[in-house]
C-alpha cells in the first residue's frame, strides 16, 4: 500500500515547484527579475526577497510606503508574501506596483515557495 503514496510524492513535489515558477512567469516576470545581477526592470529584483527587508533591492527606487516599511524594520517572509499577494495595496496603501495580487491561495503559496529559493539581486 505504500507505493502509490511514494509515487505521489515523487511526482507531485517537483510539479509544485515548477508550478510556482509558471505562475511567476505568467503574472510577475514582466516586471520582476529574479536572477542575480539582472538589470533593474519596472519592478525590483525579487531574487532573495524572502528574508530581505521590505524595499531592499539597492538598485530600485521604491515608493515612500515601501521605504518607510523597510526603515521600520519590516522583513519579507513566505507568510507575509502570501498575505501581500491577496491584495498588495491593502497591505501597503500608496504602493506603486500597478498589478493585482493572485486570486488563488495555491498560486500565492506556490509563488512564495518559488521565491524563497531564489538568490539576491
Ligand atoms: C506591472 C508591473 C508589476 C507586476 C506585474 C508585478 N509587480 Fe511586484 N512590484 C512592482 C513595482 C513597481 C514594485 C515596487 C512598488 C513600490 O515601490 O511601491 C513592486 C514590488 C513588489 C514587492 C516588494 C519588493 C520589495 O523589495 O520589498 C513584491 C514582494 C512584489 N512586487 C511581488 C510581486 C509578485 C509576486 C508579482 C506577481 C504575482 C508581482 N509583484 C507583479 C511591479 C510589478
Amino acid at each position: 500500500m505504500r507505493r502509490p503514496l511514494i509515487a505521489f510524492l515523487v511526482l507531485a513535489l517537483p510539479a509544485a515547484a515548477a508550478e510556482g515558477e509558471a505562475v511567476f512567469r505568467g503574472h510577475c516576470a514582466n516586471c520582476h527579475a529574479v536572477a542575480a545581477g539582472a538589470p533593474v526592470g519596472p519592478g525590483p529584483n525579487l531574487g532573495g526577497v524572502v528574508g530581505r527587508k521590505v524595499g531592499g533591492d539597492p538598485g530600485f527606487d521604491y515608493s515612500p510606503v515601501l521605504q518607510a516599511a523597510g526603515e521600520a524594520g519590516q522583513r519579507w517572509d513566505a507568510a507575509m508574501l502570501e498575505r501581500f499577494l491577496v491584495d498588495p495595496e491593502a497591505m501597503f496603501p500608496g504602493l506603486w506596483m500597478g498589478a493585482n495580487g493572485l486570486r488563488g491561495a495555491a498560486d500565492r503559496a506556490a509563488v512564495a515557495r518559488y521565491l524563497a529559493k531564489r538568490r539576491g539581486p
Side-chain angles (χ1 to χ4, degrees):
M1 285 310 281
R2 279 254 172 98
R3 275 233 186 102
L5 176 63
I6 289 168
F8 170 79
L9 289 174
V10 166
L11 294 172
L13 292 181
E19 190 189 294
E21 184 169 5
V23 175
F24 188 85
R25 286 229 183 102
H27 293 268
C28 321
N30 278 353
C31 297
H32 292 288
V34 286
V40 177
N45 191 314
L46 293 183
V49 71
V50 174
R52 186 170 86 185
K53 73 169 185 170
V54 173
D57 175 356
F60 190 80
D61 191 14
Y62 287 94
S63 62
V65 66
L66 287 190
Q67 283 179 34
E71 280 157 22
Q74 288 197 51
R75 270 179 192 279
W76 291 108
D77 61 26
M80 180 176 169
L81 201 53
E82 285 182 50
R83 265 186 289 125
F84 172 74
L85 292 174
V86 172
D87 183 353
E89 286 202 54
M91 182 178 276
F92 294 114
L95 187 76
W96 292 346
M97 190 156 111
N100 295 321
L102 292 169
R103 246 188 254 151
D107 284 354
R108 293 192 294 268
V111 165
R113 273 197 307 271
Y114 168 71
L115 287 175
K117 291 193 191 120
R118 302 284 131 179
R119 291 269 166 78

Short mmCIF file of all heavy atoms in Angstrom, two decimals, residues 48-74:
data_model
loop_
_atom_site.label_atom_id
_atom_site.label_comp_id
_atom_site.label_asym_id
_atom_site.label_seq_id
_atom_site.Cartn_x
_atom_site.Cartn_y
_atom_site.Cartn_z
N GLY A 48 15.88 36.53 -3.71
CA GLY A 48 16.29 36.77 -2.32
C GLY A 48 15.33 37.63 -1.53
O GLY A 48 15.65 38.06 -0.42
N VAL A 49 14.14 37.88 -2.08
CA VAL A 49 13.21 38.76 -1.36
C VAL A 49 12.77 38.16 -0.02
O VAL A 49 12.57 38.89 0.95
CB VAL A 49 11.97 39.10 -2.25
CG1 VAL A 49 11.05 37.90 -2.45
CG2 VAL A 49 11.20 40.28 -1.67
N VAL A 50 12.64 36.83 0.03
CA VAL A 50 12.25 36.19 1.29
C VAL A 50 13.44 36.25 2.25
O VAL A 50 14.51 35.73 1.96
CB VAL A 50 11.77 34.75 1.05
CG1 VAL A 50 11.50 34.03 2.36
CG2 VAL A 50 10.51 34.75 0.20
N GLY A 51 13.25 36.95 3.37
CA GLY A 51 14.33 37.16 4.33
C GLY A 51 14.94 38.55 4.22
O GLY A 51 15.70 38.98 5.08
N ARG A 52 14.59 39.26 3.14
CA ARG A 52 15.15 40.60 2.91
C ARG A 52 14.23 41.64 3.51
O ARG A 52 13.03 41.42 3.64
CB ARG A 52 15.22 40.77 1.39
CG ARG A 52 15.89 42.02 0.89
CD ARG A 52 16.10 41.94 -0.62
NE ARG A 52 14.93 42.39 -1.38
CZ ARG A 52 14.84 42.33 -2.71
NH1 ARG A 52 15.81 41.78 -3.41
NH2 ARG A 52 13.77 42.77 -3.33
N LYS A 53 14.78 42.83 3.84
CA LYS A 53 13.89 43.88 4.35
C LYS A 53 12.99 44.37 3.23
O LYS A 53 13.35 44.29 2.04
CB LYS A 53 14.69 45.02 4.97
CG LYS A 53 15.41 45.89 4.00
CD LYS A 53 15.96 47.15 4.70
CE LYS A 53 16.57 48.05 3.64
NZ LYS A 53 16.92 49.36 4.07
N VAL A 54 11.84 44.88 3.59
CA VAL A 54 10.92 45.45 2.61
C VAL A 54 11.62 46.62 1.93
O VAL A 54 12.30 47.42 2.58
CB VAL A 54 9.61 45.90 3.30
CG1 VAL A 54 8.71 46.64 2.33
CG2 VAL A 54 8.88 44.69 3.89
N GLY A 55 11.48 46.71 0.61
CA GLY A 55 12.16 47.78 -0.13
C GLY A 55 13.66 47.56 -0.16
O GLY A 55 14.43 48.51 -0.14
N GLY A 56 14.10 46.33 -0.27
CA GLY A 56 15.51 46.01 -0.06
C GLY A 56 16.37 45.76 -1.29
O GLY A 56 17.51 45.35 -1.15
N ASP A 57 15.86 46.02 -2.51
CA ASP A 57 16.75 45.92 -3.68
C ASP A 57 17.47 47.25 -3.81
O ASP A 57 16.85 48.27 -4.12
CB ASP A 57 15.91 45.63 -4.94
CG ASP A 57 16.76 45.64 -6.22
OD1 ASP A 57 17.97 45.94 -6.15
OD2 ASP A 57 16.20 45.33 -7.29
N PRO A 58 18.78 47.29 -3.59
CA PRO A 58 19.51 48.56 -3.57
C PRO A 58 19.47 49.27 -4.93
O PRO A 58 19.67 50.48 -4.99
CB PRO A 58 20.95 48.16 -3.20
CG PRO A 58 21.04 46.70 -3.38
CD PRO A 58 19.66 46.13 -3.33
N GLY A 59 19.18 48.55 -6.00
CA GLY A 59 19.16 49.17 -7.33
C GLY A 59 17.81 49.76 -7.70
O GLY A 59 17.65 50.29 -8.79
N PHE A 60 16.82 49.65 -6.79
CA PHE A 60 15.47 50.07 -7.16
C PHE A 60 15.00 51.27 -6.34
O PHE A 60 15.26 51.35 -5.14
CB PHE A 60 14.48 48.90 -6.98
CG PHE A 60 13.13 49.20 -7.57
CD1 PHE A 60 12.94 49.06 -8.94
CD2 PHE A 60 12.08 49.63 -6.77
CE1 PHE A 60 11.69 49.36 -9.49
CE2 PHE A 60 10.84 49.93 -7.33
CZ PHE A 60 10.65 49.79 -8.70
N ASP A 61 14.30 52.19 -7.00
CA ASP A 61 13.80 53.40 -6.36
C ASP A 61 12.35 53.16 -5.91
O ASP A 61 11.43 53.23 -6.71
CB ASP A 61 13.85 54.53 -7.41
CG ASP A 61 13.62 55.89 -6.78
OD1 ASP A 61 13.68 56.00 -5.55
OD2 ASP A 61 13.37 56.84 -7.55
N TYR A 62 12.18 52.84 -4.62
CA TYR A 62 10.86 52.43 -4.10
C TYR A 62 9.96 53.61 -3.75
O TYR A 62 10.44 54.72 -3.48
CB TYR A 62 11.06 51.60 -2.83
CG TYR A 62 11.59 50.21 -3.05
CD1 TYR A 62 12.96 49.95 -2.98
CD2 TYR A 62 10.73 49.14 -3.33
CE1 TYR A 62 13.47 48.67 -3.16
CE2 TYR A 62 11.23 47.86 -3.51
CZ TYR A 62 12.59 47.63 -3.42
OH TYR A 62 13.08 46.37 -3.60
N SER A 63 8.68 53.32 -3.66
CA SER A 63 7.69 54.29 -3.18
C SER A 63 7.96 54.61 -1.71
O SER A 63 8.56 53.80 -0.99
CB SER A 63 6.28 53.70 -3.30
OG SER A 63 6.17 52.54 -2.49
N PRO A 64 7.49 55.79 -1.24
CA PRO A 64 7.66 56.12 0.18
C PRO A 64 7.11 55.05 1.12
O PRO A 64 7.71 54.76 2.16
CB PRO A 64 6.90 57.45 0.32
CG PRO A 64 6.94 58.05 -1.05
CD PRO A 64 6.90 56.89 -2.01
N VAL A 65 5.98 54.43 0.76
CA VAL A 65 5.36 53.47 1.69
C VAL A 65 6.27 52.24 1.89
O VAL A 65 6.42 51.75 3.02
CB VAL A 65 3.92 53.07 1.26
CG1 VAL A 65 3.89 52.29 -0.04
CG2 VAL A 65 3.23 52.27 2.35
N LEU A 66 6.90 51.77 0.82
CA LEU A 66 7.80 50.61 0.99
C LEU A 66 9.11 51.01 1.67
O LEU A 66 9.65 50.27 2.49
CB LEU A 66 8.09 49.92 -0.35
CG LEU A 66 6.94 49.11 -0.96
CD1 LEU A 66 7.43 48.29 -2.15
CD2 LEU A 66 6.27 48.19 0.06
N GLN A 67 9.60 52.21 1.34
CA GLN A 67 10.82 52.69 2.03
C GLN A 67 10.59 52.78 3.53
O GLN A 67 11.43 52.36 4.33
CB GLN A 67 11.23 54.06 1.50
CG GLN A 67 11.92 54.00 0.14
CD GLN A 67 12.28 55.41 -0.37
OE1 GLN A 67 12.60 56.29 0.41
NE2 GLN A 67 12.21 55.60 -1.67
N ALA A 68 9.43 53.34 3.89
CA ALA A 68 9.13 53.52 5.31
C ALA A 68 9.01 52.16 6.02
O ALA A 68 9.49 51.99 7.14
CB ALA A 68 7.84 54.32 5.49
N ALA A 69 8.38 51.19 5.35
CA ALA A 69 8.22 49.86 5.96
C ALA A 69 9.59 49.22 6.20
O ALA A 69 9.83 48.61 7.25
CB ALA A 69 7.35 48.97 5.08
N GLY A 70 10.49 49.38 5.23
CA GLY A 70 11.83 48.83 5.39
C GLY A 70 12.58 49.52 6.52
O GLY A 70 13.25 48.86 7.33
N GLU A 71 12.45 50.84 6.59
CA GLU A 71 13.13 51.58 7.66
C GLU A 71 12.57 51.22 9.02
O GLU A 71 13.28 51.27 10.03
CB GLU A 71 13.02 53.10 7.41
CG GLU A 71 14.03 53.59 6.39
CD GLU A 71 13.62 54.90 5.71
OE1 GLU A 71 12.81 55.66 6.27
OE2 GLU A 71 14.14 55.15 4.59
N ALA A 72 11.29 50.85 9.05
CA ALA A 72 10.67 50.44 10.32
C ALA A 72 11.06 49.00 10.70
O ALA A 72 10.62 48.49 11.73
CB ALA A 72 9.15 50.56 10.23
N GLY A 73 11.84 48.35 9.86
CA GLY A 73 12.35 47.02 10.21
C GLY A 73 11.52 45.86 9.68
O GLY A 73 11.76 44.72 10.07
N GLN A 74 10.56 46.13 8.78
CA GLN A 74 9.76 45.01 8.26
C GLN A 74 10.59 44.18 7.27
O GLN A 74 11.31 44.73 6.45
CB GLN A 74 8.51 45.54 7.55
CG GLN A 74 7.49 46.08 8.51
CD GLN A 74 6.11 46.20 7.84
OE1 GLN A 74 5.62 45.26 7.24
NE2 GLN A 74 5.52 47.37 7.95
#
